[in-house]
Amino acid sequence: MTSKNIKTISDPKLKLEVLTKEDVQKIHNATLQIIEKVGVRFPSKRALEIWEANGAEVDHEKKIVRVKPQIIEDALKKAPPAYKLAARDPQQDLYLDGNHVNLGTDGCGVEVIDIHTGVKRTSCLQDVRDIARVADATEEVAFHWVSVSAQDTPVEARGLHELKAVWENSTKHVQTESVYNVEEAKAAIEMAAAIVGGKDKLRERPILSLMQCTAPPLGHDGGSLDAALLAAEAGIPTGFMTMAACATTGPITMAGDLAVGNAEVIAGTALLQLAFPGAPVFYAAAQTASDLRNGSYTGGGPEDFLFGAATNILADFYNIPLSMGSFATGAKEPNWQAGLEGSLSTFMASIVMSDMLLGCGFLHGSRIWSFAEMMMDCEIFSIIHKMMQGIEVNDETLALDTIAAVGPGSHYLGQKHTRKHMRELFMPQFMDRRPYSEWETKKDDARDWAVTKARKILKEHQPDPLDEKMSLELDRIIKSVEK
Amino acid sequence: MSEELFKEMAQSIIDGDSDISTELAKKSIELNIHPLEAITKGFVVGVTYIGDQFGLGEAFLPELVMAGEAMKSAIAVLEPELLKLGEAREMMGKVVLATVEGDIHEIGKTLVGTMLSASGFEVVDLGVDQSADKIIGKALEINADIIGMSALLTTTMVRQREVIEELDKEGLRPRIKVMVGGAPITQDWVKKIKADGYSEDAIGAVKIAKELVGKE
Ligand code: B1M
């Protein structure tokens, strides 16, 4: 199964086992123990009522819920193991079936390196449009996270202006983490329903999905919970993302940190299943280690990469799709650190076949959007896509006839076999393989070529627009939320 | 004799051991050592040492946080004795700290609090998701010198402005100074909302706080 003009990793030939079956069972047992004995905080009236009705022990004052393992395990079994993320263009639907790695943009940034001036500034609505348009044209980007915040729109409806901007500029699936209260969630669902032709249609074709953060350690946010419940009720794929970070919001040891994050995610997921059995849900994670000197959320480094590979094993254990944070970097500009962190995190999350990867384009700990970074991240994804195909060994690829024809000495450039297979070699767009002297006169590099490519796309690419009447309808819904 | 005890006190802070620092504080009372002396010649020496090591990159955050906790425990024992003597510790100033309403990001704010405490400020950390009323109410209650607000979301940074406007309306500035921080906060924003101070990290926050109370 493939999606039109979208490159996803599938039928992987590489494998990696970071956790054994016994390891996973131990983490699972620890998680159940945490949920039963320590509890998880659910500061939402609706959530607490659902828990109470389903036999959990609820401390209403502290809003902490303690749940017997059986309730959690039974609830999780109701979650669908595979489903589709629909796109405005049905040919671009994405498969969350364990055999596709779909790349998304990163989301919710606060600043942008201006594509024309190269100067860093506050993000705005036009940025959301521009990024969506470039992502629409790029085959590596399979779906959007709402990339940056439209800070020139009213706070109470900002998440909605952003969604509209993406839908108007791309036909691909949209996932948002920028809608985290009931009012906006209601309106967002209404907007998505309007586009596909009604609430029932939306259940069949969820062109929108919702990601909410948990509140580590062992908590959730009230607004996020209520928004997630609404989305699950509407049949919109919904996931909880843990960011439990070693040393600050999680234990310093990785296994403990995994258990804490897992407790948050599966407790949240079980809640959605208890309320709406069979609702499409996903596991989401961006666990990492905190920097020991300044507490910063590193989003990079060896611990981060290992978490990237471990989490899909947990999600597989629960048989639900995973959305994994990758490409995160603390680098301030597209440089050595950004390339290193982007490559390793994405490789580790891909080799275990995470269903969704979040996401390309950011610098400085998910805060600054850079078009150059986005395009180079896409190339990294393409390289990993190629690597995941592994090495094919058969008569044709062993090429014995051709080897005999060339013999010792000579070369393979003139061979039909070479010509036939040459396009299977990876052709980089942004790697410098030129003579030294050429570089010396131009002194340009990947960053310049990447920005140039983004500029060209922005100038030339015309996405399939949203019907004008539909835009007006979306405006009407947005207006109803604005104060 | 007390020299030995002072050394042990400093060490208890360096080790981040609240049980021992509490015990040593009690012991100093039994031995009739002046509480201020126990603090300045004993415990503070440990805090200063860890602070210096941290600055050099030799000590890590958990050590700093635990030193702070051990210090708090010791002070909790000694402070009532000081009050009995009609004396008080000299503090840098009082700070009410919170993450603004609608925002649950906690770590950055907590680190700022830790650093301020370690540098001699009295810090009341209200926690996350705190309304303007609560923040201002607390500041008035404890007669705070500084209100410190953290905001990590572009949708909640506006709350910082609300608090400042409210303070201005009530004529509480410049008596109470306002310091802000958090991921989306920039110099431009700080100017726009007329905050008194801003810092991009916790170490910088201490410097700014000292300036705001005129002690730098
Ligand atoms: C008083 O004076 C001062 C002076 C200096 C001050 C100061 C006050 N306060 C801070 N400072 C300064 O000193 C501190 C120490 O050096 C520093 O504090 P920081 O807090 O910056 O640094 C800390 C030491 C480490 N940094 C952090 O802890 C924050 C890191 C990032 C990755 C982050 C995290 C970890 C979290 N998050 Co959230 N989170 C992000 C962050 C991206 C980033 N890199 O900042 C950001 C801020 N989050 C974001 C979002 C969107 C969200 N998050 C959410 C939740 C969370 C977690 C709970 C999972 C978690 C926090 C866990 C916790 N218990 O605190 C949700 C918010 C819910 C809510 N109502 O608040 C949610 C809305 C996601 C969702 N849909 O659920 C984005 C905001 C973007 C925007 N446009 O507004 C974001 C930039 C990441 C992103 N791109 O998505 C300085 O800023």
Side-chain angles (χ1 to χ4, degrees):
Chain A
M1 288 180 288
T2 52
S3 315
K4 190 180 107 195
N5 297 338
I6 292 176
K7 194 185 231 178
T8 58
I9 294 171
S10 55
D11 302 323
K13 297 290 180 314
L14 310 193
K15 266 202 202 83
L16 177 76
E17 196 187 61
V18 262
L19 296 173
T20 63
K21 273 209 171 79
E22 295 77 54
D23 291 340
V24 175
Q25 192 62 47
K26 274 189 205 157
I27 295 172
H28 174 62
N29 293 346
T31 304
L32 292 179
Q33 193 179 327
I34 293 168
I35 298 175
E36 185 181 9
K37 299 281 175 343
V38 186
V40 178
R41 211 168 153 263
F42 282 86
S44 140
K45 191 164 164 276
R46 190 174 180 195
L48 292 179
E49 281 166 6
I50 295 167
W51 278 121
E52 201 148 52
N54 284 279
E57 181 194 322
V58 176
D59 177 339
H60 282 277
E61 199 188 320
K62 294 199 178 113
K63 305 191 181 350
I64 291 176
V65 168
R66 295 185 178 82
V67 197
K68 291 253 176 303
Q70 198 64 46
I71 300 177
I72 298 286
E73 289 190 317
D74 288 349
L76 290 176
K77 284 195 191 112
K78 297 185 182 134
Y83 52 88
K84 271 201 292 193
L85 292 181
R88 200 151 71 66
D89 173 356
Q91 289 180 291
Q92 292 182 313
D93 286 359
L94 302 176
Y95 301 90
L96 305 187
D97 57 2
N99 190 31
H100 290 83
V101 179
N102 303 287
L103 174 66
T105 61
D106 213 324
C108 232
V110 295
E111 290 183 295
V112 170
I113 307 216
D114 190 283
I115 190 167
H116 301 295
T117 65
V119 177
K120 177 168 77 65
R121 55 165 175 76
T122 300
S123 59
C124 64
L125 188 60
Q126 189 57 41
D127 296 322
V128 182
R129 296 187 185 115
D130 289 350
I131 295 167
R133 201 135 60 84
V134 175
D136 188 68
T138 320
E139 62 175 355
E140 290 87 352
V141 178
F143 70 101
H144 304 268
W145 238 18
V146 170
S147 54
V148 295
S149 288
Q151 296 180 65
D152 49 350
T153 61
V155 168
E156 68 277 8
R158 191 170 287 169
L160 305 176
H161 284 282
E162 294 164 357
L163 279 175
K164 174 172 175 257
V166 182
W167 276 319
E168 283 179 337
N169 287 279
S170 175
T171 44
K172 294 178 181 175
H173 179 83
V174 188
Q175 187 167 103
T176 180
E177 65 146 344
S178 315
V179 167
Y180 41 93
N181 61 55
V182 166
E183 295 74 28
E184 273 189 288
K186 248 187 212 151
I189 294 166
E190 204 184 321
M191 287 164 75
I195 293 175
V196 294
K199 292 240 157 88
D200 291 338
K201 259 276 155 62
L202 186 61
R203 250 172 226 289
E204 268 166 52
R205 300 202 45 74
I207 55 167
L208 173 71
S209 54
L210 221 66
M211 203 289 300
Q212 299 297 342
C213 279
T214 66
L218 299 180
H220 283 271
D221 172 54
S224 294
L225 282 171
D226 291 338
L229 282 164
L230 265 188
E233 188 171 11
I236 284 183
T238 307
F240 287 108
M241 170 182 276
T242 176
M243 290 195 183
C246 295
T248 53
T249 51
I252 189 87
T253 42
M254 292 188 67
D257 198 67
L258 275 175
V260 163
N262 197 38
E264 295 157 7
V265 173
I266 70 166
T269 309
L271 170 80
L272 298 183
Q273 291 305 321
L274 290 172
F276 310 106
V281 288
F282 57 91
Y283 193 122
Q287 276 163 281
T288 192
S290 309
D291 182 87
L292 281 173
R293 295 209 167 86
N294 60 23
S296 70
Y297 175 90
T298 58
E303 293 82 12
D304 196 275
F305 311 148
L306 283 166
F307 279 133
T311 312
N312 198 48
I313 302 178
L314 289 178
D316 277 352
F317 179 79
Y318 299 114
N319 212 5
I320 54 176
L322 171 74
S323 176
M324 189 67 213
S326 76
F327 279 119
T329 180
K332 307 298 179 269
E333 50 176 33
N335 58 14
W336 170 81
Q337 185 186 345
L340 170 77
E341 295 187 316
S343 303
L344 284 174
S345 64
T346 305
F347 176 68
M348 293 293 269
S350 296
I351 195 168
V352 291
M353 297 300 283
S354 305
D355 302 83
M356 292 170 268
L357 295 181
L358 301 162
C360 61
F362 270 165
L363 296 167
H364 188 36
S366 303
R367 276 171 282 183
I368 303 174
W369 178 271
S370 152
F371 283 93
E373 182 68 12
M374 173 198 192
M375 300 318 275
M376 290 187 289
D377 284 348
C378 283
E379 173 128 319
I380 290 174
F381 181 77
S382 276
I383 292 170
I384 293 169
H385 177 270
K386 170 72 189 171
M387 286 164 65
M388 292 293 289
Q389 293 167 6
I391 300 170
E392 200 182 332
V393 182
N394 55 35
D395 288 352
E396 173 68 12
T397 60
L398 278 171
L400 280 180
D401 291 348
T402 312
I403 293 169
V406 174
S410 192
H411 62 77
Y412 287 86
L413 283 170
Q415 295 299 316
K416 280 213 176 81
H417 184 268
T418 305
R419 204 186 143 120
K420 184 172 166 199
H421 290 284
M422 67 182 184
R423 294 195 191 277
E424 292 162 23
L425 284 195
F426 183 76
M427 280 297 294
Q429 303 177 66
F430 306 133
M431 284 181 178
D432 196 344
R433 295 168 167 179
R434 300 169 295 176
Y436 193 87
S437 56
E438 193 181 334
W439 171 77
E440 206 170 25
T441 48
K442 295 187 181 149
K443 291 267 168 68
D444 55 356
D445 66 21
R447 294 177 282 194
D448 305 295
W449 309 325
V451 164
T452 306
K453 180 166 179 198
R455 282 192 195 133
K456 185 168 168 343
I457 294 176
L458 205 51
K459 206 165 141 208
E460 294 171 1
H461 179 63
Q462 283 307 333
D464 189 4
L466 199 61
D467 184 78
E468 250 176 66
K469 272 196 216 127
M470 186 51 63
S471 283
L472 289 175
E473 172 61 9
L474 298 188
D475 278 335
R476 187 194 61 76
I477 300 171
I478 295 174
K479 278 264 152 19
S480 72
V481 172
E482 282 176 4
K483 282 177 191 145
Chain B
M1 166 73 207
S2 34
E3 285 313 310
E4 253 325 289
L5 186 65
F6 290 153
K7 262 202 196 135
E8 280 176 46
M9 286 172 163
Q11 193 59 44
S12 72
I13 302 296
I14 293 169
D15 295 340
D17 195 323
S18 297
D19 291 343
I20 298 187
S21 69
T22 308
E23 218 169 89
L24 294 172
K26 284 183 188 154
K27 194 164 161 193
S28 75
I29 297 171
E30 281 161 25
L31 293 172
N32 271 325
I33 294 172
H34 195 288
L36 268 186
E37 208 164 70
I39 294 173
T40 52
K41 291 191 177 162
F43 297 116
V44 165
V45 176
V47 171
T48 311
Y49 176 80
I50 283 287
D52 289 347
Q53 289 300 103
F54 186 76
L56 291 171
E58 295 291 335
F60 294 147
L61 270 178
E63 291 166 292
L64 197 70
V65 170
M66 291 180 74
E69 295 295 326
M71 182 73 184
K72 251 193 222 155
S73 307
I75 298 284
V77 175
L78 296 172
E79 198 116 65
E81 296 302 311
L82 261 185
L83 285 177
K84 277 188 214 158
L85 298 170
E87 294 179 46
R89 266 189 316 149
E90 209 203 314
M91 299 298 291
M92 280 282 181
K94 289 186 189 168
V95 183
V96 168
L97 192 64
T99 299
V100 297
E101 188 169 2
D103 199 322
I104 58 164
H105 292 86
E106 175 127 50
I107 304 303
K109 172 216 41 102
T110 303
L111 289 184
V112 170
T114 302
M115 294 292 178
L116 287 173
S117 300
S119 313
F121 283 88
E122 187 183 328
V123 179
V124 177
D125 185 340
L126 293 176
V128 298
D129 193 10
Q130 295 295 317
S131 67
D133 282 355
K134 278 208 190 128
I135 296 172
I136 296 173
K138 194 51 151 189
L140 291 176
E141 183 191 322
I142 68 158
N143 195 17
D145 302 290
I146 299 175
I147 285 179
M149 284 180 284
S150 192
L152 272 278
L153 298 171
T154 49
T155 47
T156 58
M157 45 199 271
V158 289
R159 304 280 175 212
Q160 296 178 334
R161 173 158 56 195
E162 282 173 18
V163 169
I164 291 175
E165 283 171 359
E166 188 62 29
L167 286 171
D168 281 339
K169 212 165 78 197
E170 302 290 326
L172 291 168
R173 286 208 308 164
R175 176 156 76 84
I176 300 177
K177 303 277 196 301
V178 176
M179 178 162 81
V180 295
I185 309 303
T186 58
Q187 256 333 327
D188 279 352
W189 174 250
V190 176
K191 251 192 239 150
K192 208 186 218 168
I193 64 171
K194 303 198 184 69
D196 302 294
Y198 153 73
S199 151
E200 218 193 307
D201 67 3
I203 308 242
V206 172
K207 194 166 162 280
I208 300 291
K210 284 182 179 167
E211 279 172 24
L212 292 181
V213 294
K215 296 203 170 141
E216 183 74 320

